[in-house]
Amino acid sequence: MARYETGFEDGRRLLRGKHERLAYGLLAVALVAAPWVLPAYHIGEATFILIMCVASLGLMMLTGFTGQVSLGQSAFVGIGAYIHTILLTQGVPLPVSLLLTTAGAALGGLLVGMPAIRVSGLHLAMVTMAFAIVCEHVLGRWKSVTAGHSGMAVPDPTLFGLSLGGPRAFYFLCLVVLAVVLILLVNLMRSATGRAFIGIRDSEAAAQGLGIDVARTKVLAFSLSAACSGLAGALLAHQMQHITPEAFGLALSLQLVLMVFIGGLGSLRGAILGAILIGLLPSFISSLKEALPARLGAQFGLELFVYGAVLTFFVLLEPGGLNSRWVRMRKVLAEFPWVRKSSVHKTKVYMKSERYR
């Protein structure tokens, strides 16, 4: 029988043993020290990755833990960006604006999730993709509120009179937001609600038989996922400094889906690892273009080729994602030097439809 690494296990074992506490402590020190040693450009890249981690965690709640496929996550990111920008323009303080933005995006997820839970699989993916397309068009045509395709300038974030618009200060703001979101989601997955998410993902019939309100839990997952995406959108608005509807199209949704799938479904750690990898790909592609001959580097579709190559690699060679690879590496290091090749085997991962055969 296949073994699954659920979000419950992921959260319960987050700081298991002194070695992991030491590793996470060193990671925290490195994250705090990074903006003091990195140049401004790399601080901006690291900040963008932190924002994508928040959005990826939101989609992981919906797809990785609850099994609901969504191609419309960019719509909630855009909703969060515009709500936050409008509130700041009206003079609302930053903390209040972030809370209202999160609540507004959660309400949007609630309104979308209530009709969307009537379908599943490919049909659900099409419904959410249609919602993203409609949302992008609404943002572009509602000129009295969103300024249309000309976009809106985003005010600098300020907290208690202190400007957080600088690269270093904004990096720490995003880092604090990510830490808070991660802690909340880890504890959520350890609760009965988190176990209900996983139960619905594995078998809706069994979850309903155990007394779980499947419809209400699915809608809750949609709402929580949208809330995280809206919060990420608020931070992304500051990163972009000028938002337009085109920035929140299907390309962003596909990037988020890649983060979740490549990171490893059903793991908060995987959502972060996937966001780091996909977040670094644009810089890698730019460097690749410079290294290639001018005629080849200027070819249209190089970005799609790189994204497709990465996705193909993980589908064929690492279907469990980066988190699965990390778990195996940790096992090897824990047993070194007595590790045997036969003890490090790939765990069979079954699709939902295959577990009933």
Coordinates of all heavy atoms in Angstrom, one line a residue, residues 23 38 57 76 91-92 112 118 125 153-154 197 214 225 227 238 255 257 318 322 337 348:
A23 N 18.6 23.1 11.7 CA 18.6 23.5 10.2 C 17.6 24.6 10.0 O 17.9 25.6 9.3 CB 18.1 22.2 9.4
L38 N 23.2 40.9 0.1 CA 22.8 40.8 -1.3 C 22.7 42.2 -1.9 O 22.3 43.2 -1.3 CB 21.5 40.1 -1.5 CG 21.5 38.6 -1.2 CD1 20.1 38.0 -1.3 CD2 22.5 37.8 -2.0
L57 N 1.3 28.6 -1.5 CA 0.7 28.0 -0.3 C -0.8 28.0 -0.4 O -1.5 27.1 0.0 CB 1.2 28.7 1.0 CG 2.6 28.4 1.4 CD1 3.1 29.3 2.5 CD2 2.8 27.0 1.8
F76 N -7.7 35.9 -8.2 CA -7.7 36.3 -6.8 C -6.5 37.1 -6.5 O -6.5 38.0 -5.6 CB -7.8 35.1 -5.9 CG -9.0 34.2 -6.1 CD1 -8.9 32.9 -6.6 CD2 -10.3 34.8 -5.8 CE1 -10.0 32.2 -6.8 CE2 -11.4 34.0 -6.0 CZ -11.3 32.7 -6.5
G91 N -6.2 56.2 1.7 CA -5.7 56.6 3.0 C -5.8 55.5 4.1 O -5.6 55.8 5.3
V92 N -6.2 54.3 3.8 CA -6.4 53.2 4.8 C -5.0 52.8 5.2 O -4.1 52.6 4.4 CB -7.2 52.1 4.2 CG1 -7.3 50.9 5.2 CG2 -8.5 52.5 3.8
V112 N -17.1 32.2 -5.6 CA -16.7 31.3 -6.8 C -16.9 29.9 -6.4 O -17.3 29.0 -7.1 CB -15.3 31.6 -7.2 CG1 -14.9 30.6 -8.3 CG2 -15.2 33.0 -7.8
R118 N -19.9 22.2 -7.6 CA -20.9 21.2 -8.2 C -20.2 20.4 -9.3 O -20.8 19.5 -9.8 CB -22.1 22.0 -8.8 CG -22.8 22.7 -7.7 CD -24.0 23.6 -8.3 NE -24.7 24.3 -7.3 CZ -25.7 23.8 -6.6 NH1 -26.1 22.5 -6.8 NH2 -26.3 24.5 -5.7
A125 N -11.6 22.8 -13.6 CA -10.5 23.6 -14.2 C -11.0 24.6 -15.2 O -10.5 25.7 -15.2 CB -9.4 22.6 -14.8
A153 N -1.1 53.4 -10.2 CA 0.2 53.5 -9.5 C -0.1 53.0 -8.0 O -1.1 53.4 -7.4 CB 0.7 54.9 -9.5
V154 N 0.8 52.3 -7.5 CA 0.6 51.7 -6.1 C 1.4 52.6 -5.1 O 2.6 52.8 -5.3 CB 1.2 50.3 -6.1 CG1 0.9 49.7 -4.7 CG2 0.5 49.4 -7.1
F197 N -9.8 18.2 4.9 CA -9.3 18.5 3.5 C -8.7 17.3 2.9 O -9.0 16.9 1.8 CB -8.3 19.7 3.6 CG -8.9 21.0 3.8 CD1 -8.0 22.1 4.2 CD2 -10.2 21.3 3.7 CE1 -8.6 23.3 4.5 CE2 -10.7 22.5 4.0 CZ -9.9 23.6 4.4
V214 N -18.9 17.7 3.1 CA -18.0 17.8 1.9 C -18.2 19.2 1.2 O -17.2 19.9 0.9 CB -18.3 16.7 0.9 CG1 -17.4 16.9 -0.3 CG2 -17.9 15.3 1.6
S225 N -7.9 29.5 0.2 CA -7.0 29.6 -0.9 C -7.0 31.0 -1.5 O -6.0 31.6 -1.8 CB -7.3 28.5 -2.0 OG -6.4 28.7 -3.1
A227 N -8.0 33.7 -0.1 CA -7.4 34.7 0.9 C -5.9 34.8 0.8 O -5.4 35.9 0.8 CB -7.9 34.3 2.3
H238 N 2.9 46.1 -4.6 CA 4.0 46.9 -4.1 C 5.3 46.5 -4.9 O 6.1 47.4 -5.2 CB 4.2 46.8 -2.6 CG 3.2 47.4 -1.8 ND1 2.9 48.7 -1.8 CD2 2.3 46.8 -0.9 CE1 1.9 49.0 -1.0 NE2 1.5 47.8 -0.4
Q255 N 1.8 29.4 -13.8 CA 3.0 29.4 -13.0 C 2.7 28.9 -11.6 O 3.5 28.1 -11.1 CB 3.6 30.8 -12.9 CG 4.4 31.3 -14.1 CD 5.0 32.6 -13.9 OE1 4.5 33.4 -13.2 NE2 6.1 32.8 -14.6
V257 N 0.3 26.8 -10.8 CA 0.0 25.4 -10.9 C 1.3 24.6 -11.0 O 1.5 23.6 -10.4 CB -0.9 25.1 -12.1 CG1 -1.0 23.6 -12.4 CG2 -2.3 25.7 -11.9
E318 N 10.5 12.5 -11.6 CA 10.3 12.9 -10.2 C 8.8 13.3 -10.0 O 8.5 14.4 -9.7 CB 11.2 14.0 -9.7 CG 11.3 14.2 -8.2 CD 11.8 12.9 -7.5 OE1 12.9 12.6 -7.6 OE2 10.9 12.3 -6.9
L322 N 9.6 18.1 -5.8 CA 10.8 18.4 -5.0 C 10.8 18.0 -3.6 O 11.8 17.6 -3.0 CB 11.1 19.9 -5.1 CG 11.5 20.5 -6.4 CD1 11.4 22.0 -6.4 CD2 12.8 20.0 -6.9
P337 N 26.8 6.8 7.5 CA 27.3 6.1 6.2 C 26.8 4.7 6.1 O 27.3 4.0 5.3 CB 28.8 6.2 6.4 CG 28.9 6.0 7.9 CD 27.7 6.7 8.6
K348 N 5.8 4.3 -4.5 CA 4.8 4.3 -5.5 C 3.8 5.4 -5.2 O 3.2 5.4 -4.0 CB 4.1 2.9 -5.7 CG 2.9 2.9 -6.6 CD 3.3 3.3 -8.1 CE 2.1 3.1 -9.0 NZ 2.4 3.5 -10.3

